[in-house]
Amino acid sequence: MSNSNTNGAIARIAKEIASAQKGSDLSIAVSCRDSDVRSVRALIIGPPETPYEFGFFEFDMKFTKEYPIKAPTVRCLTTNSGRTRFNPNIYAEGKVCLSILGTWRGNPGEEWSAAQGLESVLISIQSLMSSNPYENEPGYESNKKEEPQPSAYIAKIRHETLKVSVCQRLEALLQIQPDKIEPALKKVKLSPTDESPEPAKSSFADGTNGSSTPASVHEYDAEATYNALDQAQWDPFADLVKRRFLWYYDAYIRAIDLFGEAQPDGTAFKRMEFEYPPNSMEGHFEYKSLKTRMAAILARLDQEAQSWERLGAQQVMSATQLATQLAFQFKQMEDKWNAGSYSGCRMEISLPNPNNPFVWHLTLFGEPMTNLDGGIFNLDVYIPPDFPTTQPRVKIATPLFHHRVSSNGHLCYFPVKEDEIGSHLDAIVAAIEDKTANFDPRAMVNPESFDLKWGGEDKRKQYNRKLRRSAQESSEFL
């Protein structure tokens, strides 16, 4: 019976993981090791138009052999080493309080059932990341606080989303130490006006306060985070997080510029009534340094992509299987695209270095009678030495006002088959032609052009005019 239960749980989990991985939801990703499908890592990207916007929040999920009769256990990993409570229901020590998980007192009908599963748990967690997370605190409806209490909570969540879930995450991946960019961050003392209220009573089902972390107030310890980074550690979302950072960079900078004016650097966070050390979010605003750190991450990611040309050349010298395959695929794609036997935009393909198939140069000619008419756009495709585990990066050298192209030229596109370069080329052209785009704020790469394209008829006309103008002016950058 025990083996039967275990096998049934494994089969159910494997099926749910496969379903989630094939899904079209851009804000949720899941992965597991082949050796243990009952230990799942999940990534939730913060919803647009919330203080969690485009943050990277990771969770560890454990499934027992009694699954789906019993709910999985879930722990949040994005906590700034146990120092940051991102939500009234997502504690600094990682515990996620949800009635569906049995970690919160819910109403009848909200408890776990075998009809629920992996995706329903993640969607429930994602629903906590609302535009006003303060309302997740029990008793909010009956004891609503007037401003500025909720706005103060929203403000510090937005800041820490950018700092902890984005900057820290990417800096660890890229081995960037912030104190090499700016003065080291030190411990912060709360100002007298931010003295904490009495600790709130436990809300956990087990009656504990949910944390064993020492009660102290810290800022991010860059040195400790850097030293703790284990390059051999399993990190299934490393490449996804890097690519999404390139997508969302403009949105991050827009948030920093917009909200940095309202929260001057050095202003201490206000502690909420339900927060108590160590289960709280302490610190101060430092938007100027966040902007500097974001720029350093962007530069390092561009350097990383450019380094693939050198690493690829080494593979060519060693005649690796990937180098041979890419050379063959280039010849195939060159014959296909340069022959011109297709409809829509015309494209020419070449290799900047004829002996290195790890960097492809594309010249795209705008389709007549469209917004791209007369445009000539130069793109570079950087192919990583571990493709397809790591995905290519595409950068457009020609300025283009387009909702799928960032201000730095990074393109957002969706290949049908991630392991085929031909599928990437098709997706690149489709993204720029933009004939079948659907509204999806999770693909907001260029906030200015995105707002115009999807902002109504009048704004759409402005978007089309700006796109046509950038196409007409593209010849100036040849």
Side-chain angles (χ1 to χ4, degrees):
M1 179 66 72
S2 177
N3 287 338
S4 176
N5 288 345
T6 301
N7 292 337
I10 290 175
R12 166 80 177 254
I13 298 164
K15 182 178 180 180
E16 292 181 355
I17 291 172
S19 175
Q21 291 176 336
K22 292 178 181 178
S24 59
D25 191 337
L26 297 177
S27 61
I28 292 177
V30 298
S31 187
C32 69
R33 296 177 190 260
D34 292 338
S35 59
D36 186 10
V37 299
R38 292 191 300 176
S39 294
V40 175
R41 184 73 59 83
L43 171 69
I44 295 177
I45 296 178
E49 299 183 358
T50 74
Y52 303 95
E53 183 173 74
F54 304 144
F56 304 115
F57 298 91
E58 295 180 59
F59 297 84
D60 185 57
M61 307 179 71
K62 302 292 186 184
F63 296 80
T64 68
K65 63 182 180 181
E66 287 83 15
Y67 181 79
I69 303 303
K70 290 186 177 181
T73 58
V74 181
R75 182 171 65 94
C76 181
L77 303 178
T78 307
T79 64
N80 194 16
S81 300
R83 298 170 182 150
T84 302
R85 179 181 182 178
F86 269 105
N87 190 281
N89 289 37
I90 303 176
Y91 281 47
E93 60 91 33
K95 191 164 187 178
V96 179
C97 296
L98 280 174
S99 55
I100 190 177
L101 298 175
T103 52
W104 188 258
R105 301 182 301 274
N107 297 321
E110 294 180 348
E111 63 275 4
W112 175 262
S113 75
Q116 294 160 334
L118 172 63
E119 288 191 79
S120 63
V121 170
L122 295 177
I123 291 172
S124 295
I125 296 173
Q126 188 181 51
S127 70
L128 298 174
M129 301 178 184
S130 64
S131 58
N132 181 15
Y134 195 98
E135 64 189 9
N136 293 328
E137 173 61 16
Y140 171 78
E141 287 298 326
S142 58
N143 299 292
K144 280 189 177 180
K145 295 285 183 181
E146 298 297 331
E147 300 290 353
Q149 192 83 339
S151 62
Y153 189 49
I154 291 169
K156 67 178 184 177
I157 289 178
R158 179 182 293 110
H159 182 276
E160 294 301 90
T161 291
L162 294 168
K163 179 182 176 182
V164 176
S165 79
V166 179
C167 282
Q168 283 186 211
R169 182 67 167 97
L170 271 296
E171 286 164 349
L173 279 176
L174 298 168
Q175 301 186 46
I176 298 174
Q177 297 188 58
D179 56 356
K180 301 298 183 182
I181 304 171
E182 58 187 354
L185 299 172
K186 305 298 183 181
K187 289 186 178 181
V188 175
K189 294 182 179 180
L190 295 178
S191 63
T193 58
D194 291 318
E195 292 297 328
S196 63
E198 289 297 316
K201 293 183 179 180
S202 169
S203 298
F204 278 126
D206 59 9
T208 67
N209 68 5
S211 178
S212 58
T213 309
S216 58
V217 179
H218 292 279
E219 277 297 281
Y220 168 47
D221 186 340
E223 188 70 23
T225 299
Y226 178 75
N227 291 335
L229 179 64
D230 179 1
Q231 292 299 319
Q233 185 178 1
W234 180 57
D235 192 346
F237 306 123
D239 181 55
L240 176 60
V241 165
K242 290 177 181 179
R243 286 184 286 122
R244 291 299 183 88
F245 177 90
L246 295 174
W247 284 15
Y248 300 141
Y249 178 80
D250 287 348
Y252 297 145
I253 297 302
R254 181 173 72 167
I256 289 172
D257 290 341
L258 179 62
F259 298 104
E261 295 182 2
Q263 287 94 29
D265 282 13
T267 304
F269 295 161
K270 183 176 181 61
R271 187 181 294 171
M272 302 295 106
E273 291 184 353
F274 55 82
E275 294 182 317
Y276 50 92
N279 195 20
S280 60
M281 178 183 281
E282 312 290 355
H284 66 284
F285 294 100
E286 47 180 338
Y287 275 114
K288 290 181 181 178
S289 70
L290 287 184
K291 192 170 185 177
T292 300
R293 290 164 68 175
M294 291 279 185
I297 293 168
L298 178 68
R300 182 66 64 85
L301 286 173
D302 282 341
Q303 292 169 6
E304 181 181 64
Q306 292 165 6
S307 73
W308 294 344
E309 181 176 10
R310 173 180 53 81
L311 297 173
Q314 295 174 1
Q315 291 209 28
V316 172
M317 292 290 292
S318 301
T320 66
Q321 182 179 10
L322 177 59
T324 303
Q325 289 175 341
L326 288 177
F328 177 74
Q329 290 181 43
F330 171 77
K331 181 59 178 174
Q332 284 186 316
M333 294 299 103
E334 183 183 36
D335 292 342
K336 170 188 173 181
W337 285 97
N338 292 4
S341 55
Y342 48 84
S343 60
C345 290
R346 184 169 67 86
M347 186 166 69
E348 294 180 356
I349 305 175
S350 63
L351 296 180
N353 180 343
N355 298 317
N356 189 339
F358 285 83
V359 179
W360 295 23
H361 182 76
L362 314 179
T363 302
L364 191 69
F365 300 88
E367 181 180 0
M369 306 301 292
T370 70
N371 287 332
L372 300 176
D373 191 357
I376 304 175
F377 310 101
N378 289 301
L379 305 82
D380 289 309
V381 181
Y382 298 91
I383 303 173
D386 61 343
F387 174 79
T389 300
T390 300
Q391 290 288 284
R393 295 182 197 160
V394 179
K395 193 164 186 180
I396 303 180
T398 308
L400 178 61
F401 186 85
H402 195 292
H403 73 108
R404 288 285 182 85
V405 181
S406 76
S407 63
N408 297 288
H410 295 102
L411 177 67
C412 165
Y413 70 100
F414 304 97
V416 175
K417 297 181 179 179
E418 293 186 344
D419 59 344
E420 295 183 7
I421 292 297
S423 182
H424 282 267
L425 296 187
D426 291 340
I428 289 168
V429 174
I432 296 175
E433 287 184 330
D434 195 31
K435 294 180 178 179
T436 60
N438 296 315
F439 175 76
D440 190 340
R442 296 166 298 183
M444 182 174 64
V445 179
N446 187 316
E448 180 188 359
S449 59
F450 185 92
D451 290 345
L452 289 179
K453 181 174 177 63
W454 303 108
E457 184 177 352
D458 290 340
K459 288 188 176 181
R460 176 70 66 87
K461 290 179 180 178
Q462 294 181 49
Y463 172 81
N464 290 335
R465 284 197 296 269
K466 289 193 172 188
L467 177 56
R468 285 196 298 269
R469 187 179 302 118
S470 65
Q472 294 164 1
E473 295 174 351
S474 63
S475 60
E476 300 176 8
F477 299 92
L478 295 178

